[in-house]
Coordinates of all heavy atoms in Angstrom, one line a residue:
M1 N 82.2 80.4 118.9 CA 83.4 80.5 118.0 C 83.2 79.6 116.8 O 83.0 78.4 117.0 CB 84.6 80.1 118.8 CG 85.8 80.1 117.9 SD 87.3 79.5 118.9 CE 87.9 81.1 119.3
G2 N 83.3 80.1 115.6 CA 83.1 79.3 114.4 C 84.4 78.7 114.0 O 85.5 78.9 114.6
L3 N 84.3 77.8 113.1 CA 85.5 77.1 112.6 C 86.6 78.0 112.1 O 87.8 77.8 112.4 CB 85.1 76.1 111.5 CG 86.3 75.3 110.8 CD1 87.0 74.5 111.8 CD2 85.7 74.5 109.7
F4 N 86.2 79.0 111.3 CA 87.2 79.9 110.8 C 87.9 80.7 111.9 O 89.1 81.0 111.8 CB 86.6 80.9 109.8 CG 86.2 80.2 108.5 CD1 84.9 80.1 108.1 CD2 87.2 79.6 107.7 CE1 84.5 79.5 106.9 CE2 86.8 78.9 106.5 CZ 85.5 78.9 106.2
D5 N 87.2 81.1 112.9 CA 87.8 81.8 114.1 C 88.8 80.8 114.8 O 89.8 81.2 115.2 CB 86.7 82.2 115.1 CG 85.9 83.4 114.5 OD1 86.4 84.2 113.7 OD2 84.7 83.4 114.9
F6 N 88.4 79.5 114.9 CA 89.2 78.5 115.5 C 90.5 78.4 114.8 O 91.6 78.3 115.4 CB 88.5 77.2 115.6 CG 89.3 76.1 116.2 CD1 89.6 76.0 117.5 CD2 89.9 75.1 115.3 CE1 90.4 75.0 118.0 CE2 90.7 74.1 115.8 CZ 90.9 74.0 117.2
L7 N 90.5 78.5 113.5 CA 91.7 78.3 112.6 C 92.5 79.6 112.6 O 93.6 79.6 112.0 CB 91.3 77.9 111.2 CG 90.6 76.5 111.1 CD1 90.1 76.2 109.7 CD2 91.6 75.4 111.6
G8 N 92.0 80.7 113.2 CA 92.8 81.9 113.2 C 92.5 82.9 112.1 O 93.1 84.0 112.1
F9 N 91.5 82.7 111.3 CA 91.1 83.6 110.2 C 90.6 84.9 110.8 O 90.8 86.0 110.3 CB 90.1 83.0 109.3 CG 90.7 81.9 108.4 CD1 90.3 80.6 108.6 CD2 91.7 82.2 107.5 CE1 90.8 79.6 107.8 CE2 92.3 81.1 106.8 CZ 91.8 79.9 106.9
G10 N 89.9 84.8 111.9 CA 89.3 86.1 112.5 C 90.4 87.0 113.0 O 90.4 88.2 112.8
K11 N 91.5 86.4 113.6 CA 92.6 87.2 114.1 C 93.4 87.8 112.9 O 93.8 88.9 112.9 CB 93.5 86.4 114.9 CG 93.0 86.0 116.3 CD 93.9 85.2 117.1 CE 93.3 84.7 118.4 NZ 94.2 83.9 119.2
K12 N 93.5 87.0 111.8 CA 94.2 87.5 110.6 C 93.5 88.7 110.0 O 94.1 89.7 109.7 CB 94.4 86.4 109.6 CG 95.0 86.9 108.3 CD 95.1 85.7 107.3 CE 95.6 86.3 106.0 NZ 95.5 85.3 104.9
K13 N 92.2 88.5 109.9 CA 91.4 89.6 109.3 C 91.5 90.9 110.2 O 91.7 92.0 109.6 CB 89.9 89.2 109.2 CG 89.0 90.2 108.7 CD 87.5 89.7 108.7 CE 86.6 90.9 108.3 NZ 85.2 90.4 108.2
A14 N 91.3 90.7 111.5 CA 91.4 91.9 112.4 C 92.8 92.5 112.3 O 92.8 93.8 112.3 CB 91.1 91.4 113.8
A15 N 93.8 91.8 112.2 CA 95.2 92.3 112.1 C 95.4 93.1 110.8 O 95.9 94.2 110.8 CB 96.2 91.2 112.2
I16 N 94.8 92.6 109.7 CA 94.9 93.3 108.4 C 94.1 94.6 108.4 O 94.6 95.6 108.0 CB 94.5 92.3 107.2 CG1 95.5 91.2 107.1 CG2 94.4 93.1 105.9 CD1 95.0 90.1 106.2
I17 N 92.9 94.5 108.9 CA 92.1 95.7 109.0 C 92.7 96.8 109.8 O 92.8 97.9 109.5 CB 90.7 95.3 109.5 CG1 89.9 94.5 108.5 CG2 89.9 96.6 109.9 CD1 88.6 93.9 109.0
Q18 N 93.3 96.4 111.0 CA 94.0 97.3 111.8 C 95.2 97.9 111.1 O 95.5 99.1 111.2 CB 94.4 96.7 113.2 CG 95.1 97.6 114.1 CD 94.2 98.8 114.5 OE1 93.0 98.7 114.8 NE2 94.8 100.0 114.4
A19 N 96.0 97.1 110.4 CA 97.1 97.6 109.7 C 96.7 98.6 108.6 O 97.3 99.7 108.5 CB 97.9 96.4 109.0
L20 N 95.6 98.3 107.9 CA 95.1 99.2 106.9 C 94.7 100.6 107.5 O 95.0 101.6 107.0 CB 94.0 98.6 106.1 CG 94.4 97.4 105.2 CD1 93.1 96.7 104.7 CD2 95.2 97.9 104.0
K21 N 94.0 100.5 108.6 CA 93.5 101.7 109.3 C 94.7 102.5 109.9 O 94.6 103.7 110.0 CB 92.6 101.3 110.5 CG 91.2 100.9 110.0 CD 90.3 100.6 111.1 CE 88.9 100.2 110.6 NZ 87.9 99.9 111.6
S22 N 95.8 101.8 110.1 CA 97.0 102.5 110.7 C 97.9 103.0 109.5 O 99.0 103.5 109.8 CB 97.8 101.5 111.6 OG 97.0 101.2 112.7
G23 N 97.5 102.9 108.3 CA 98.2 103.4 107.2 C 99.2 102.5 106.4 O 100.0 102.9 105.7
A24 N 99.0 101.2 106.6 CA 99.8 100.2 105.8 C 99.6 100.4 104.4 O 98.5 100.7 103.9 CB 99.4 98.8 106.2
V25 N 100.6 100.3 103.6 CA 100.5 100.4 102.1 C 100.1 99.0 101.6 O 100.6 98.0 102.1 CB 101.8 100.9 101.5 CG1 103.0 99.9 101.7 CG2 101.6 101.3 100.0
V26 N 99.3 99.0 100.6 CA 98.9 97.8 99.9 C 99.7 97.6 98.7 O 99.8 98.6 97.9 CB 97.4 97.8 99.5 CG1 97.0 96.6 98.7 CG2 96.5 98.0 100.8
I27 N 100.4 96.5 98.6 CA 101.2 96.2 97.4 C 100.6 95.0 96.7 O 100.5 93.9 97.3 CB 102.7 95.9 97.8 CG1 103.3 97.1 98.4 CG2 103.5 95.4 96.6 CD1 104.8 96.9 98.9
D28 N 100.1 95.3 95.5 CA 99.5 94.3 94.6 C 100.6 93.7 93.8 O 101.3 94.4 93.0 CB 98.4 94.9 93.8 CG 97.6 94.0 93.0 OD1 98.1 93.0 92.5 OD2 96.4 94.2 92.9
V29 N 100.9 92.4 93.9 CA 102.0 91.7 93.2 C 101.6 91.1 91.9 O 102.4 90.3 91.4 CB 102.7 90.8 94.2 CG1 103.3 91.5 95.4 CG2 101.8 89.6 94.6
R30 N 100.5 91.4 91.4 CA 100.1 90.9 90.1 C 100.8 91.6 89.0 O 101.4 92.7 89.2 CB 98.6 91.0 89.9 CG 97.8 90.2 90.8 CD 96.3 90.4 90.7 NE 95.9 91.8 91.0 CZ 94.9 92.5 90.5 NH1 94.1 91.9 89.6 NH2 94.7 93.7 90.8
E31 N 100.7 91.1 87.8 CA 101.3 91.7 86.6 C 100.5 93.0 86.3 O 99.3 93.1 86.6 CB 101.4 90.8 85.4 CG 102.3 89.6 85.6 CD 103.8 90.1 85.8 OE1 104.2 90.9 85.1 OE2 104.4 89.5 86.7
P32 N 101.2 94.0 85.7 CA 100.5 95.3 85.3 C 99.2 95.1 84.6 O 98.2 95.8 84.9 CB 101.5 96.0 84.5 CG 102.8 95.6 85.0 CD 102.6 94.1 85.3
S33 N 99.1 94.1 83.7 CA 97.9 93.9 82.9 C 96.7 93.4 83.8 O 95.6 93.8 83.6 CB 98.1 92.9 81.7 OG 98.5 91.7 82.2
E34 N 97.1 92.7 84.8 CA 96.1 92.2 85.8 C 95.6 93.4 86.7 O 94.4 93.5 86.9 CB 96.6 91.1 86.7 CG 97.0 89.8 86.0 CD 97.6 88.8 86.9 OE1 98.8 89.0 87.2 OE2 97.0 87.9 87.4
F35 N 96.6 94.1 87.1 CA 96.3 95.3 88.0 C 95.4 96.3 87.3 O 94.5 96.8 87.9 CB 97.7 95.9 88.3 CG 97.6 97.1 89.3 CD1 97.5 96.8 90.7 CD2 97.7 98.4 88.9 CE1 97.4 97.9 91.6 CE2 97.6 99.4 89.8 CZ 97.5 99.2 91.1
E36 N 95.6 96.5 86.0 CA 94.8 97.5 85.3 C 93.3 97.1 85.2 O 92.4 97.9 85.1 CB 95.3 97.6 83.8 CG 96.6 98.3 83.8 CD 97.3 98.3 82.4 OE1 96.6 97.9 81.4 OE2 98.4 98.7 82.3
R37 N 93.0 95.8 85.3 CA 91.6 95.3 85.3 C 90.9 95.5 86.6 O 89.7 95.2 86.7 CB 91.6 93.8 84.9 CG 91.9 93.7 83.4 CD 91.9 92.2 83.0 NE 93.0 91.5 83.5 CZ 93.7 90.6 82.9 NH1 93.3 90.2 81.8 NH2 94.7 90.0 83.5
G38 N 91.6 95.9 87.6 CA 91.0 96.1 88.9 C 92.0 96.0 90.0 O 92.9 95.2 90.0
H39 N 91.9 96.9 91.0 CA 92.8 96.8 92.2 C 92.3 97.6 93.3 O 91.3 98.3 93.2 CB 94.2 97.4 91.7 CG 94.1 98.8 91.2 ND1 93.9 99.0 89.8 CD2 94.2 100.0 91.7 CE1 93.9 100.3 89.6 NE2 94.0 100.9 90.7
V40 N 92.9 97.5 94.5 CA 92.5 98.3 95.6 C 93.0 99.7 95.4 O 94.1 100.0 95.0 CB 93.3 97.8 96.9 CG1 93.0 98.6 98.1 CG2 92.9 96.3 97.1
E41 N 92.0 100.6 95.7 CA 92.3 102.1 95.5 C 93.6 102.5 96.3 O 93.7 102.1 97.5 CB 91.1 102.9 95.9 CG 91.3 104.4 95.5 CD 90.0 105.2 95.8 OE1 88.9 104.6 95.8 OE2 90.2 106.4 96.1
G42 N 94.5 103.1 95.6 CA 95.7 103.6 96.3 C 96.8 102.6 96.4 O 97.9 102.9 97.0
S43 N 96.6 101.4 95.9 CA 97.6 100.3 96.1 C 98.7 100.6 95.1 O 98.5 101.2 94.1 CB 97.0 98.9 95.9 OG 96.4 98.8 94.6
L44 N 99.9 100.0 95.4 CA 101.0 100.0 94.5 C 101.1 98.7 93.7 O 100.7 97.7 94.3 CB 102.3 100.2 95.3 CG 102.5 101.4 96.2 CD1 103.8 101.3 97.0 CD2 102.4 102.6 95.4
N45 N 101.5 98.8 92.5 CA 101.7 97.5 91.7 C 103.2 97.2 91.6 O 103.9 97.9 90.8 CB 101.0 97.7 90.3 CG 101.1 96.5 89.5 OD1 101.3 96.6 88.3 ND2 100.9 95.3 90.0
I46 N 103.6 96.2 92.3 CA 105.0 95.8 92.2 C 104.9 94.3 91.9 O 104.6 93.5 92.9 CB 105.8 96.1 93.5 CG1 105.8 97.5 93.8 CG2 107.2 95.6 93.3 CD1 106.4 97.9 95.1
P47 N 105.1 93.8 90.7 CA 104.9 92.4 90.4 C 105.9 91.5 91.2 O 107.0 92.0 91.6 CB 105.3 92.3 88.9 CG 105.0 93.7 88.4 CD 105.3 94.6 89.5
L48 N 105.4 90.3 91.5 CA 106.2 89.4 92.4 C 107.6 89.3 91.9 O 108.5 89.3 92.7 CB 105.5 88.0 92.4 CG 106.2 86.9 93.2 CD1 106.4 87.3 94.7 CD2 105.5 85.6 93.1
G49 N 107.9 89.2 90.6 CA 109.2 89.1 90.1 C 110.1 90.2 90.4 O 111.4 90.1 90.3
K50 N 109.6 91.4 90.9 CA 110.4 92.5 91.2 C 110.5 92.8 92.7 O 111.2 93.7 93.2 CB 109.8 93.8 90.5 CG 109.9 93.7 89.0 CD 109.4 94.9 88.3 CE 109.6 94.8 86.8 NZ 109.2 96.0 86.1
I51 N 109.7 92.0 93.5 CA 109.7 92.3 95.0 C 111.1 92.1 95.6 O 111.5 93.0 96.4 CB 108.7 91.3 95.6 CG1 107.3 91.8 95.4 CG2 108.9 91.2 97.1 CD1 106.9 93.1 96.1
S52 N 111.8 91.1 95.3 CA 113.1 90.9 95.9 C 114.1 92.1 95.7 O 114.7 92.6 96.6 CB 113.8 89.7 95.3 OG 113.2 88.5 95.8
S53 N 114.1 92.6 94.5 CA 114.9 93.8 94.2 C 114.4 95.1 94.8 O 115.2 96.0 95.0 CB 115.1 93.9 92.6 OG 113.9 94.3 92.0
K54 N 113.2 95.1 95.2 CA 112.6 96.3 95.7 C 112.4 96.2 97.3 O 112.1 97.2 97.9 CB 111.2 96.6 95.1 CG 111.2 96.7 93.6 CD 111.2 98.1 93.3 CE 111.1 98.2 91.7 NZ 111.3 99.5 91.2
A55 N 112.7 95.1 97.8 CA 112.5 94.8 99.3 C 113.2 95.8 100.2 O 112.6 96.3 101.1 CB 112.9 93.4 99.6
N56 N 114.4 96.1 99.9 CA 115.2 97.1 100.7 C 114.6 98.4 100.7 O 114.4 99.1 101.7 CB 116.6 97.1 100.2 CG 117.5 97.8 101.2 OD1 117.4 97.7 102.4 ND2 118.5 98.5 100.7
S57 N 114.2 98.9 99.5 CA 113.6 100.3 99.5 C 112.2 100.3 100.1 O 111.8 101.3 100.7 CB 113.5 100.8 98.0 OG 112.7 100.0 97.2
I58 N 111.4 99.2 100.0 CA 110.1 99.1 100.6 C 110.3 99.1 102.1 O 109.5 99.8 102.8 CB 109.4 97.8 100.2 CG1 109.0 97.8 98.7 CG2 108.2 97.5 101.1 CD1 108.5 96.5 98.1
S59 N 111.3 98.4 102.7 CA 111.5 98.4 104.1 C 111.9 99.7 104.7 O 111.5 100.1 105.8 CB 112.5 97.3 104.5 OG 113.8 97.7 104.1
K60 N 112.6 100.5 103.8 CA 112.9 101.9 104.3 C 111.8 102.9 104.2 O 111.7 103.8 104.9 CB 114.1 102.4 103.4 CG 115.4 101.7 103.7 CD 116.5 102.1 102.9 CE 117.8 101.4 103.1 NZ 118.9 101.7 102.2
K61 N 110.9 102.7 103.2 CA 109.9 103.7 102.9 C 108.6 103.4 103.7 O 107.9 104.4 104.0 CB 109.6 103.7 101.4 CG 108.7 104.8 101.0 CD 108.7 104.9 99.5 CE 108.0 106.2 99.1 NZ 108.0 106.4 97.6
Y62 N 108.2 102.2 104.0 CA 106.9 101.9 104.6 C 107.1 101.1 105.9 O 107.9 100.1 105.9 CB 106.1 101.0 103.6 CG 105.9 101.7 102.3 CD1 106.6 101.3 101.1 CD2 105.1 102.8 102.1 CE1 106.4 101.9 99.9 CE2 104.9 103.5 100.9 CZ 105.6 103.0 99.8 OH 105.4 103.6 98.6
S63 N 106.3 101.5 106.9 CA 106.4 100.8 108.2 C 105.7 99.5 108.2 O 106.1 98.6 108.9 CB 106.0 101.7 109.3 OG 104.6 102.1 109.1
S64 N 104.6 99.4 107.4 CA 103.9 98.1 107.3 C 103.3 98.0 105.9 O 102.9 99.0 105.3 CB 102.9 97.9 108.4 OG 101.8 98.9 108.3
V65 N 103.1 96.8 105.5 CA 102.6 96.5 104.1 C 101.6 95.4 104.2 O 101.7 94.4 105.0 CB 103.8 96.0 103.3 CG1 103.4 95.4 101.9 CG2 104.8 97.1 103.1
V66 N 100.6 95.5 103.3 CA 99.7 94.4 103.1 C 99.8 94.0 101.6 O 99.7 94.8 100.7 CB 98.2 94.8 103.4 CG1 97.2 93.7 103.0 CG2 98.0 95.2 104.8
T67 N 100.2 92.7 101.4 CA 100.3 92.2 100.0 C 99.0 91.6 99.6 O 98.2 91.0 100.4 CB 101.5 91.2 99.9 OG1 101.2 90.1 100.8 CG2 102.8 91.8 100.2
C68 N 98.8 91.7 98.2 CA 97.6 91.0 97.7 C 97.9 90.6 96.2 O 98.9 91.1 95.6 CB 96.4 91.9 97.7 SG 96.5 93.4 96.8
C69 N 97.1 89.8 95.7 CA 97.2 89.3 94.3 C 95.9 88.8 93.8 O 94.8 89.3 94.3 CB 98.3 88.3 94.1 SG 98.0 86.7 95.0
R70 N 95.8 87.9 92.9 CA 94.5 87.4 92.4 C 93.9 86.3 93.4 O 92.8 86.4 93.7 CB 94.7 86.7 91.1 CG 93.4 86.2 90.5 CD 93.5 85.6 89.1 NE 94.5 84.6 89.0 CZ 94.4 83.3 89.3 NH1 93.3 82.9 89.7 NH2 95.4 82.5 89.1
S71 N 94.8 85.4 93.9 CA 94.2 84.3 94.7 C 94.9 84.3 96.1 O 94.3 83.6 97.0 CB 94.4 83.0 94.0 OG 95.8 82.7 93.9
G72 N 96.0 84.9 96.3 CA 96.7 84.8 97.6 C 98.0 84.0 97.5 O 98.8 84.1 98.5
I73 N 98.3 83.3 96.4 CA 99.5 82.5 96.3 C 100.7 83.4 96.2 O 101.7 83.4 96.9 CB 99.4 81.5 95.2 CG1 98.3 80.5 95.6 CG2 100.8 80.8 95.0 CD1 98.0 79.5 94.5
R74 N 100.7 84.3 95.2 CA 101.8 85.2 94.9 C 102.0 86.2 96.1 O 103.1 86.5 96.5 CB 101.6 86.0 93.6 CG 101.8 85.1 92.4 CD 101.5 85.9 91.1 NE 100.0 86.0 90.9 CZ 99.5 86.6 89.9 NH1 100.2 87.2 89.0 NH2 98.1 86.6 89.8
S75 N 100.8 86.6 96.7 CA 101.0 87.6 97.8 C 101.6 86.9 99.0 O 102.4 87.6 99.7 CB 99.6 88.2 98.2 OG 98.7 87.2 98.6
S76 N 101.4 85.6 99.2 CA 102.0 84.9 100.3 C 103.6 84.8 100.0 O 104.4 85.0 101.0 CB 101.5 83.5 100.4 OG 102.1 82.7 101.3
Q77 N 103.9 84.5 98.8 CA 105.4 84.5 98.4 C 106.0 85.9 98.7 O 107.1 86.0 99.2 CB 105.6 84.1 97.0 CG 105.1 82.6 96.7 CD 105.1 82.3 95.3 OE1 104.8 83.1 94.4 NE2 105.4 81.0 95.0
A78 N 105.3 86.9 98.2 CA 105.9 88.3 98.4 C 106.0 88.6 99.9 O 107.0 89.2 100.3 CB 105.0 89.3 97.7
A79 N 105.0 88.2 100.7 CA 105.0 88.5 102.1 C 106.2 87.9 102.7 O 106.9 88.5 103.6 CB 103.7 88.1 102.8
G80 N 106.5 86.6 102.3 CA 107.7 85.9 102.9 C 109.0 86.6 102.5 O 109.9 86.8 103.4
I81 N 109.1 87.1 101.3 CA 110.3 87.8 100.9 C 110.4 89.1 101.7 O 111.5 89.4 102.2 CB 110.2 88.1 99.4 CG1 110.3 86.8 98.5 CG2 111.3 89.1 98.9 CD1 109.9 87.0 97.1
L82 N 109.4 89.9 101.8 CA 109.4 91.1 102.6 C 109.7 90.9 104.0 O 110.4 91.7 104.7 CB 108.1 91.9 102.3 CG 107.9 92.4 100.9 CD1 106.5 93.0 100.8 CD2 109.0 93.4 100.5
K83 N 109.1 89.9 104.6 CA 109.3 89.6 106.0 C 110.8 89.3 106.3 O 111.4 89.7 107.2 CB 108.4 88.4 106.5 CG 108.6 88.1 107.9 CD 107.6 87.0 108.3 CE 107.8 86.7 109.8 NZ 106.9 85.7 110.3
N84 N 111.4 88.5 105.4 CA 112.8 88.2 105.5 C 113.7 89.4 105.3 O 114.9 89.4 105.7 CB 113.2 87.1 104.5 CG 112.7 85.8 104.8 OD1 112.4 85.5 106.0 ND2 112.6 84.9 103.8
S85 N 113.1 90.5 104.8 CA 113.9 91.8 104.6 C 113.5 92.7 105.8 O 113.9 93.9 105.8 CB 113.5 92.4 103.3 OG 113.9 91.7 102.2
G86 N 112.8 92.2 106.8 CA 112.5 93.0 108.0 C 111.3 93.9 107.9 O 111.1 94.8 108.7
V87 N 110.5 93.7 106.9 CA 109.2 94.5 106.7 C 108.1 93.9 107.6 O 108.0 92.7 107.6 CB 108.8 94.5 105.3 CG1 107.5 95.3 105.1 CG2 109.9 95.1 104.4
E88 N 107.3 94.7 108.3 CA 106.1 94.2 108.9 C 105.1 94.1 107.8 O 104.7 95.0 107.2 CB 105.6 95.3 109.9 CG 104.3 94.8 110.6 CD 103.8 95.9 111.5 OE1 104.5 96.7 112.1 OE2 102.5 95.9 111.7
V89 N 104.8 92.8 107.5 CA 103.9 92.5 106.3 C 102.8 91.6 106.7 O 103.0 90.7 107.5 CB 104.8 92.0 105.2 CG1 105.5 90.7 105.6 CG2 104.0 91.8 103.9
Y90 N 101.7 91.8 106.0 CA 100.5 90.9 106.2 C 100.1 90.4 104.8 O 100.0 91.2 103.9 CB 99.3 91.7 106.8 CG 99.7 92.3 108.1 CD1 100.3 93.6 108.2 CD2 99.4 91.7 109.3 CE1 100.6 94.2 109.4 CE2 99.7 92.3 110.5 CZ 100.3 93.5 110.5 OH 100.6 94.1 111.7
N91 N 99.9 89.1 104.7 CA 99.4 88.6 103.4 C 97.9 88.7 103.4 O 97.2 88.0 104.1 CB 99.8 87.1 103.3 CG 99.2 86.4 102.1 OD1 98.7 87.1 101.2 ND2 99.1 85.1 102.1
G92 N 97.4 89.7 102.6 CA 96.0 89.9 102.5 C 95.2 89.0 101.6 O 94.0 89.0 101.7
G93 N 95.9 88.2 100.9 CA 95.3 87.2 100.0 C 94.9 87.9 98.7 O 95.6 88.6 98.1
S94 N 93.6 87.7 98.3 CA 93.2 88.3 97.0 C 93.0 89.8 97.2 O 92.6 90.3 98.2 CB 91.9 87.7 96.6 OG 90.8 88.1 97.3
W95 N 93.1 90.5 96.0 CA 92.9 92.0 96.1 C 91.5 92.3 96.4 O 91.3 93.3 97.1 CB 93.4 92.6 94.8 CG 92.5 92.4 93.6 CD1 92.6 91.3 92.7 CD2 91.4 93.2 93.1 NE1 91.6 91.4 91.7 CE2 90.9 92.6 92.0 CE3 90.8 94.3 93.6 CZ2 89.8 93.1 91.3 CZ3 89.7 94.9 92.9 CH2 89.2 94.2 91.8
Q96 N 90.5 91.5 96.0 CA 89.1 91.8 96.4 C 88.9 91.7 97.9 O 88.1 92.5 98.5 CB 88.2 90.8 95.7 CG 88.1 91.0 94.2 CD 89.0 89.9 93.5 OE1 90.0 89.4 94.0 NE2 88.7 89.6 92.2
T97 N 89.6 90.7 98.5 CA 89.5 90.6 100.0 C 90.1 91.8 100.7 O 89.5 92.4 101.6 CB 90.2 89.3 100.5 OG1 89.6 88.2 99.9 CG2 90.2 89.2 102.0
V98 N 91.2 92.3 100.2 CA 91.9 93.4 100.8 C 91.0 94.7 100.5 O 90.8 95.5 101.4 CB 93.3 93.6 100.3 CG1 93.9 94.9 100.8 CG2 94.2 92.4 100.7
R99 N 90.4 94.8 99.4 CA 89.5 95.9 99.1 C 88.4 95.9 100.1 O 88.0 97.0 100.6 CB 89.0 95.9 97.7 CG 88.1 97.1 97.3 CD 87.7 97.1 95.9 NE 86.9 95.9 95.6 CZ 86.5 95.6 94.4 NH1 86.8 96.4 93.3 NH2 85.8 94.5 94.1
A100 N 87.7 94.8 100.3 CA 86.6 94.7 101.3 C 87.1 95.1 102.7 O 86.4 95.8 103.4 CB 86.1 93.3 101.3
Y101 N 88.3 94.6 103.1 CA 88.8 95.0 104.4 C 89.1 96.5 104.5 O 88.8 97.1 105.6 CB 90.1 94.2 104.7 CG 90.1 92.8 104.9 CD1 91.2 92.0 105.0 CD2 88.9 92.1 105.1 CE1 91.2 90.6 105.2 CE2 88.8 90.7 105.3 CZ 90.0 90.0 105.4 OH 89.9 88.7 105.6
S102 N 89.5 97.1 103.4 CA 89.8 98.5 103.5 C 88.5 99.4 103.6 O 88.6 100.5 104.0 CB 90.6 98.9 102.3 OG 89.9 98.9 101.1
E103 N 87.4 98.8 103.3 CA 86.1 99.5 103.3 C 85.4 99.2 104.7 O 84.4 99.8 104.9 CB 85.2 99.0 102.2 CG 85.8 99.4 100.8 CD 85.1 98.8 99.6 OE1 84.2 97.9 99.8 OE2 85.4 99.2 98.5
E104 N 86.0 98.4 105.5 CA 85.4 98.1 106.8 C 85.7 99.2 107.8 O 86.7 99.9 107.8 CB 85.8 96.8 107.4 CG 85.2 95.7 106.6 CD 85.3 94.3 107.3 OE1 85.5 94.3 108.5 OE2 85.1 93.3 106.6

């Protein structure tokens, strides 16, 4: 068991991969100009500043969500907002990480 597995990263990765395989929607919370420069195929772009106002409709439309951004900070904030709204949500961190997970 490596250090990252000990810290729980292996479980987090496995949970995100399973969620993606089960049809979780990826929500990229970066600004549209950032999203246009690269994103996970099929992901939705809902900037962090709009997540609170969209949380109710997200919870009604999607059974599970993986959030992502540039570094993981905004996606963590968005995941917290969505979790408080009753959404099954996983903070995927950076969009590149989520893209790699979606290809596994």
Side-chain angles (χ1 to χ4, degrees):
M1 174 184 267
L3 175 61
F4 290 116
D5 291 327
F6 176 75
L7 295 173
F9 291 114
K11 290 180 184 179
K12 176 184 171 186
K13 176 182 175 181
I16 293 169
I17 291 170
Q18 183 58 48
L20 291 168
K21 287 182 178 182
S22 297
V25 67
V26 176
I27 297 179
D28 189 320
V29 299
R30 295 176 296 153
E31 293 300 315
S33 61
E34 294 174 283
F35 184 79
E36 290 171 10
R37 288 181 286 218
H39 55 270
V40 176
E41 187 175 335
S43 62
L44 303 176
N45 181 218
I46 304 174
L48 178 60
K50 295 183 179 182
I51 284 290
S52 290
S53 65
K54 304 260 185 193
N56 193 35
S57 63
I58 291 169
S59 71
K60 290 178 182 176
K61 191 169 185 177
Y62 304 106
S63 59
S64 66
V65 169
V66 175
T67 58
C68 64
C69 65
R70 183 177 51 83
S71 66
I73 295 171
R74 289 177 281 181
S75 63
S76 176
Q77 293 171 329
I81 292 166
L82 293 172
K83 184 176 181 179
N84 287 338
S85 296
V87 178
E88 179 184 334
V89 61
Y90 303 87
N91 174 18
S94 76
W95 72 270
Q96 293 98 334
T97 298
V98 174
R99 180 175 62 187
Y101 290 170
S102 69
E103 295 171 351
E104 289 195 20

